[in-house]
Amino acid sequence: MNLYGRDFLKLLDYSPEEIGYLLDLSAEYKAKKKAGILHDTLKGKNVALIFEKTSTRTRSSFEVACHDLGMGSTYLDPSGSQIGRKESIADTARVLSGIFDAIEYRGYGQEIVQTLADYADVPVINGLTNEFHPTQILADFLTIREHFGSLKGKKLVYMGDARYNMGNSLMVGAAKMGLHFVAAAPQEYFPDQALIAQCEAVAKESGATLDFISDPETAVKNADAIYTDIWVSMGEPVEVWEERVNALRPYQVNGRLMDAAGEQCVFLHCLPSYHDLNTAIGKEMGEKFGMDAFEVTNEVFESKQSLVFQEAANRMHTIKAVLSAVLTK
Ligand code: CP
Ligand code: NVA
């Protein structure tokens, strides 16, 4: 398998075999890290880390992955560069291509990371856009594989706003890797029809199935994994909270829904999460809407079925696999 020089913009661009290879490579790196075996095979390489939105996991994972691989990294924060305000994406891409061996971009529309890739002559990696979050899916799937031993045929239910980056990317990943994907949401929160059609075509090849169900209890029956995400994403206006809380309250992952799924079911979340009121926004919105948690209850988040911290740690191993795959000849 040779992924040298490839961009990593969305999983639709990768074959099931290539995604499987990246998961295998992630597991190898994880084992090496645990055993204390050095793997600094990319000495002399450097990556630019552009973050137009904030991050804890993705930034930390890229920076630690770079250290472990022997690489350098430069973090360009949301306000500390010329990007967007004084320099176009196309110019930025060509400038950074002359300095770095790869570029990571986290920000807004998918068309921005696509433009970066079009103008850059080094690999561009998507660290989250409004539409897709492909490095997150690798960590999610590594976690499912570690827990169940395989991905094929596993029932993965995404509860909440399935039109945004996490719902979209999980649907694409599931279609590629032969899972049974269910989006559980009100009709108007289902993914875009054109993306569903693309995923249906992929699913025909892989044996995946895709379902869109508005009744939460029906949706979760026999699920192997229930996944959720915050109801209001980075960059969205504060005004949408009310509409989201009203629409998505029945889709909160709570003990009753986990019981309806069955005891085999694990809980996943990309994080960060409003599972309690111990954050500034969680507290403010909790008081406003009279809730003590939003997309998931604290009970489920803290339960034995919750794999969220294993999943978060897997971000680093999977990002390391992507960096190494696209930078190794
Ligand atoms: N899950 C995720 O991407 O987290 P960060 O926003 O902290 O990077
Ligand atoms: N949907 C969330 C995902 C965070 C990892 C957001 O875009 O903010």
Side-chain angles (χ1 to χ4, degrees):
M1 187 67 66
N2 187 351
L3 303 179
Y4 178 70
R6 291 268 299 272
D7 297 315
F8 190 77
L9 304 184
K10 55 188 190 305
L11 288 180
L12 276 169
D13 304 334
Y14 277 69
S15 70
E17 293 72 28
E18 289 168 342
I19 296 168
Y21 166 76
L22 288 171
L23 293 174
D24 291 344
L25 192 57
S26 308
E28 263 176 51
Y29 276 127
K30 186 168 180 174
K32 280 190 179 150
K33 179 85 175 174
K34 292 240 148 25
I37 300 168
L38 283 183
H39 42 279
D40 51 352
T41 53
L42 289 174
K43 276 193 185 132
K45 305 271 185 202
N46 290 283
V47 59
L49 306 176
I50 306 173
F51 280 81
E52 299 207 283
K53 289 176 178 169
T54 53
S55 169
T56 297
R57 276 144 292 271
T58 309
R59 176 184 176 183
S60 306
S61 296
F62 269 97
E63 291 196 1
V64 174
C66 286
H67 279 296
D68 286 355
L69 291 168
M71 297 174 61
S73 64
T74 299
Y75 175 70
L76 298 164
D77 75 20
S79 58
S81 75
Q82 317 287 20
I83 300 166
R85 283 159 294 276
K86 282 174 71 180
E87 195 154 39
S88 69
I89 292 294
D91 290 356
T92 303
R94 288 172 289 179
V95 169
L96 297 181
S97 292
I99 302 173
F100 294 96
D101 301 283
I103 302 166
E104 177 277 352
Y105 173 85
R106 162 172 288 200
Y108 296 88
Q110 185 72 14
E111 71 285 355
I112 302 174
V113 79
Q114 184 63 59
T115 304
L116 256 180
D118 291 344
Y119 284 88
D121 51 23
V122 297
V124 174
I125 301 169
N126 179 357
L128 177 146
T129 58
N130 295 345
E131 290 84 356
F132 294 112
H133 195 5
T135 63
Q136 176 72 49
I137 307 309
L138 293 180
D140 303 337
F141 282 14
L142 182 63
T143 310
I144 294 174
R145 222 177 66 164
E146 286 171 341
H147 186 82
F148 293 106
S150 65
L151 287 171
K152 241 190 170 42
K154 292 285 165 285
K155 179 171 175 179
L156 169 63
V157 181
Y158 180 81
M159 311 279 302
D161 187 354
R163 310 163 298 183
Y164 216 69
N165 43 24
M166 288 314 308
N168 288 344
S169 311
L170 284 166
M171 176 171 72
V172 172
K176 288 276 178 182
M177 302 310 280
L179 283 81
H180 176 192
F181 175 80
V182 179
Q187 189 112 27
E188 61 278 20
Y189 284 75
F190 289 151
D192 173 62
Q193 272 308 324
L195 185 63
I196 293 178
Q198 266 182 300
C199 288
E200 293 283 10
V202 172
K204 273 211 184 88
E205 301 287 312
S206 69
T209 50
L210 310 177
D211 281 311
F212 305 90
I213 299 174
S214 291
D215 177 57
E217 304 239 355
T218 309
V220 299
K221 205 159 183 286
N222 298 323
D224 294 297
I226 295 181
Y227 199 118
T228 192
D229 180 17
I230 47 170
W231 291 343
V232 178
S233 286
M234 288 183 276
E236 293 199 284
V238 68
E239 291 73 36
V240 301
W241 270 90
E242 186 159 358
E243 165 215 314
R244 296 293 159 76
V245 170
N246 291 335
L248 297 176
R249 204 189 278 253
Y251 301 87
Q252 180 191 60
V253 183
N254 54 30
R256 191 177 41 77
L257 274 188
M258 291 302 288
D259 288 347
E263 61 186 11
Q264 75 293 335
C265 185
V266 298
F267 173 70
L268 297 171
H269 191 313
C270 53
L271 307 182
S273 165
Y274 297 122
H275 59 94
D276 58 24
L277 305 187
N278 295 335
T279 61
I281 296 175
K283 184 168 181 294
E284 184 191 335
M285 293 303 162
E287 281 165 5
K288 181 164 180 191
F289 296 105
M291 293 177 76
D292 60 8
F294 289 90
E295 75 279 2
V296 56
T297 61
N298 197 46
E299 179 202 4
V300 170
F301 187 90
E302 297 291 355
S303 70
K304 280 217 276 294
Q305 285 161 288
S306 171
L307 303 184
V308 296
F309 296 112
Q310 177 183 339
E311 183 184 6
N314 282 340
R315 296 297 311 285
M316 200 278 284
H317 307 297
T318 45
I319 280 172
K320 192 180 283 178
V322 173
L323 279 170
S324 136
V326 302
L327 286 171
T328 307
K329 264 206 178 117

PDB file of all heavy atoms in Angstrom, residues 67-78:
ATOM      1  N   HIS A  67       6.367  14.913  17.128  1.00  0.00           N
ATOM      2  CA  HIS A  67       7.522  14.667  18.017  1.00  0.00           C
ATOM      3  C   HIS A  67       7.961  13.220  17.902  1.00  0.00           C
ATOM      4  O   HIS A  67       9.138  12.922  17.724  1.00  0.00           O
ATOM      5  CB  HIS A  67       7.144  14.933  19.482  1.00  0.00           C
ATOM      6  CG  HIS A  67       7.179  16.372  19.861  1.00  0.00           C
ATOM      7  ND1 HIS A  67       8.336  17.104  19.857  1.00  0.00           N
ATOM      8  CD2 HIS A  67       6.203  17.212  20.272  1.00  0.00           C
ATOM      9  CE1 HIS A  67       8.062  18.346  20.245  1.00  0.00           C
ATOM     10  NE2 HIS A  67       6.770  18.439  20.483  1.00  0.00           N
ATOM     11  N   ASP A  68       7.000  12.304  18.024  1.00  0.00           N
ATOM     12  CA  ASP A  68       7.330  10.868  18.029  1.00  0.00           C
ATOM     13  C   ASP A  68       7.925  10.421  16.694  1.00  0.00           C
ATOM     14  O   ASP A  68       8.756   9.521  16.654  1.00  0.00           O
ATOM     15  CB  ASP A  68       6.076  10.032  18.328  1.00  0.00           C
ATOM     16  CG  ASP A  68       5.663  10.123  19.790  1.00  0.00           C
ATOM     17  OD1 ASP A  68       6.395  10.756  20.579  1.00  0.00           O
ATOM     18  OD2 ASP A  68       4.607   9.561  20.140  1.00  0.00           O
ATOM     19  N   LEU A  69       7.468  11.044  15.600  1.00  0.00           N
ATOM     20  CA  LEU A  69       7.972  10.657  14.270  1.00  0.00           C
ATOM     21  C   LEU A  69       9.286  11.373  13.945  1.00  0.00           C
ATOM     22  O   LEU A  69       9.854  11.165  12.871  1.00  0.00           O
ATOM     23  CB  LEU A  69       6.919  10.960  13.198  1.00  0.00           C
ATOM     24  CG  LEU A  69       5.660  10.082  13.226  1.00  0.00           C
ATOM     25  CD1 LEU A  69       4.572  10.658  12.319  1.00  0.00           C
ATOM     26  CD2 LEU A  69       5.968   8.644  12.824  1.00  0.00           C
ATOM     27  N   GLY A  70       9.716  12.240  14.843  1.00  0.00           N
ATOM     28  CA  GLY A  70      10.978  12.973  14.619  1.00  0.00           C
ATOM     29  C   GLY A  70      10.793  14.218  13.770  1.00  0.00           C
ATOM     30  O   GLY A  70      11.764  14.825  13.318  1.00  0.00           O
ATOM     31  N   MET A  71       9.523  14.614  13.551  1.00  0.00           N
ATOM     32  CA  MET A  71       9.222  15.755  12.671  1.00  0.00           C
ATOM     33  C   MET A  71       9.116  17.062  13.438  1.00  0.00           C
ATOM     34  O   MET A  71       8.885  17.071  14.635  1.00  0.00           O
ATOM     35  CB  MET A  71       7.854  15.549  11.996  1.00  0.00           C
ATOM     36  CG  MET A  71       7.768  14.379  11.093  1.00  0.00           C
ATOM     37  SD  MET A  71       6.062  14.189  10.520  1.00  0.00           S
ATOM     38  CE  MET A  71       5.777  15.724   9.646  1.00  0.00           C
ATOM     39  N   GLY A  72       9.159  18.149  12.718  1.00  0.00           N
ATOM     40  CA  GLY A  72       8.866  19.460  13.286  1.00  0.00           C
ATOM     41  C   GLY A  72       7.438  19.855  12.949  1.00  0.00           C
ATOM     42  O   GLY A  72       6.859  19.350  11.976  1.00  0.00           O
ATOM     43  N   SER A  73       6.860  20.747  13.777  1.00  0.00           N
ATOM     44  CA  SER A  73       5.521  21.262  13.458  1.00  0.00           C
ATOM     45  C   SER A  73       5.453  22.734  13.833  1.00  0.00           C
ATOM     46  O   SER A  73       6.114  23.174  14.771  1.00  0.00           O
ATOM     47  CB  SER A  73       4.447  20.481  14.225  1.00  0.00           C
ATOM     48  OG  SER A  73       4.598  20.678  15.605  1.00  0.00           O
ATOM     49  N   THR A  74       4.669  23.490  13.085  1.00  0.00           N
ATOM     50  CA  THR A  74       4.449  24.913  13.382  1.00  0.00           C
ATOM     51  C   THR A  74       2.957  25.154  13.464  1.00  0.00           C
ATOM     52  O   THR A  74       2.216  24.859  12.508  1.00  0.00           O
ATOM     53  CB  THR A  74       5.045  25.801  12.271  1.00  0.00           C
ATOM     54  OG1 THR A  74       6.446  25.562  12.218  1.00  0.00           O
ATOM     55  CG2 THR A  74       4.780  27.278  12.546  1.00  0.00           C
ATOM     56  N   TYR A  75       2.507  25.630  14.622  1.00  0.00           N
ATOM     57  CA  TYR A  75       1.082  25.883  14.850  1.00  0.00           C
ATOM     58  C   TYR A  75       0.727  27.309  14.435  1.00  0.00           C
ATOM     59  O   TYR A  75       1.342  28.271  14.897  1.00  0.00           O
ATOM     60  CB  TYR A  75       0.777  25.673  16.338  1.00  0.00           C
ATOM     61  CG  TYR A  75      -0.635  26.023  16.736  1.00  0.00           C
ATOM     62  CD1 TYR A  75      -1.711  25.240  16.330  1.00  0.00           C
ATOM     63  CD2 TYR A  75      -0.900  27.133  17.539  1.00  0.00           C
ATOM     64  CE1 TYR A  75      -3.006  25.563  16.691  1.00  0.00           C
ATOM     65  CE2 TYR A  75      -2.196  27.466  17.903  1.00  0.00           C
ATOM     66  CZ  TYR A  75      -3.243  26.668  17.482  1.00  0.00           C
ATOM     67  OH  TYR A  75      -4.531  26.986  17.847  1.00  0.00           O
ATOM     68  N   LEU A  76      -0.231  27.428  13.536  1.00  0.00           N
ATOM     69  CA  LEU A  76      -0.722  28.749  13.100  1.00  0.00           C
ATOM     70  C   LEU A  76      -2.130  28.914  13.666  1.00  0.00           C
ATOM     71  O   LEU A  76      -3.053  28.222  13.246  1.00  0.00           O
ATOM     72  CB  LEU A  76      -0.721  28.821  11.571  1.00  0.00           C
ATOM     73  CG  LEU A  76       0.680  28.669  10.944  1.00  0.00           C
ATOM     74  CD1 LEU A  76       0.587  28.362   9.458  1.00  0.00           C
ATOM     75  CD2 LEU A  76       1.503  29.922  11.160  1.00  0.00           C
ATOM     76  N   ASP A  77      -2.275  29.791  14.654  1.00  0.00           N
ATOM     77  CA  ASP A  77      -3.541  29.865  15.383  1.00  0.00           C
ATOM     78  C   ASP A  77      -4.582  30.704  14.637  1.00  0.00           C
ATOM     79  O   ASP A  77      -4.277  31.308  13.601  1.00  0.00           O
ATOM     80  CB  ASP A  77      -3.299  30.345  16.819  1.00  0.00           C
ATOM     81  CG  ASP A  77      -3.002  31.839  16.900  1.00  0.00           C
ATOM     82  OD1 ASP A  77      -3.344  32.571  15.960  1.00  0.00           O
ATOM     83  OD2 ASP A  77      -2.430  32.266  17.917  1.00  0.00           O
ATOM     84  N   PRO A  78      -5.817  30.746  15.149  1.00  0.00           N
ATOM     85  CA  PRO A  78      -6.887  31.429  14.405  1.00  0.00           C
ATOM     86  C   PRO A  78      -6.601  32.900  14.108  1.00  0.00           C
ATOM     87  O   PRO A  78      -7.153  33.448  13.158  1.00  0.00           O
ATOM     88  CB  PRO A  78      -8.094  31.298  15.334  1.00  0.00           C
ATOM     89  CG  PRO A  78      -7.803  30.108  16.187  1.00  0.00           C
ATOM     90  CD  PRO A  78      -6.316  30.064  16.360  1.00  0.00           C
TER      91      PRO A  78
END
